[in-house]
Amino acid sequence: MNERVKIASEIYNSGLYCSQAVLGAFCGKYGMDKSLAFKVSCGLNSGVRCADVCGAVSGAILVIGLKYGDDKTVCNLKTEEYIKTFKEKNGSIICRDLLDCDIFTPDGKEKAVTENLFKTRCMDIVISAAQILDDLGY
């Protein structure tokens, strides 16, 4: 496991969110302090708090912005490349699709807790999100 991928998994295992784990693992390379990265990405977890775009993907997109945000055209192309790659590897970028339940409904939340999805599937997704960034040269 690559060092940044390992860091992302450790951050997630420490109790922080998926979005924080991915951004936190890469932020230092682009001049952002981890504590600021954790603050900036906090509200993106759990599919932007509505089981929509996965927090790990959102964290990765923030990394792309750190690297390419001075050029909107390049940043957009790199974001599209990342999303395409993530979808190819994981099937979707949508939290409720990735978890096969909507964690913002009572039944979906119960399923996620009962099946331990936050510790298993979400961890796999954090690792995948970070690995894709690494594979793409971030």
Side-chain angles (χ1 to χ4, degrees):
M1 182 181 298
N2 170 285
E3 184 63 25
R4 292 193 199 288
V5 176
K6 183 179 175 197
I7 292 168
S9 68
E10 289 170 354
I11 293 169
Y12 187 72
N13 267 335
S14 78
L16 293 178
Y17 294 128
C18 50
S19 51
Q20 294 172 307
V22 175
L23 180 59
F26 288 83
C27 65
K29 184 174 179 181
Y30 301 103
M32 179 181 257
D33 176 80
K34 262 189 190 175
S35 64
L36 179 59
F38 294 157
K39 288 179 186 179
V40 166
S41 59
C42 186
L44 300 175
N45 68 86
S46 300
V48 193
R49 303 300 306 149
C50 63
D52 204 27
V53 175
C54 170
V57 172
S58 295
I61 291 169
L62 290 175
V63 172
I64 295 167
L66 286 173
K67 184 170 183 177
Y68 294 109
D70 290 333
D71 185 329
K72 292 189 298 187
T73 301
V74 172
C75 189
N76 289 340
L77 290 171
K78 295 297 186 177
T79 299
E80 291 166 13
E81 173 188 41
Y82 181 87
I83 289 170
K84 179 179 182 239
T85 304
F86 189 92
K87 282 181 179 179
E88 287 170 356
K89 292 188 183 295
N90 297 285
S92 179
I93 64 166
I94 304 301
C95 176
R96 64 185 156 272
D97 295 341
L98 293 165
L99 296 179
D100 195 31
C101 64
D102 183 342
I103 58 175
F104 287 92
T105 66
D107 289 344
K109 178 74 170 200
E110 181 180 342
K111 176 181 177 172
V113 170
T114 301
E115 295 181 15
N116 205 25
L117 296 178
F118 299 120
K119 292 291 182 187
T120 57
R121 182 68 182 134
C122 289
M123 175 56 82
D124 292 343
I125 292 166
V126 166
I127 289 170
S128 178
Q131 186 63 59
I132 293 166
L133 280 174
D134 187 66
D135 291 348
L136 293 173
Y138 292 90

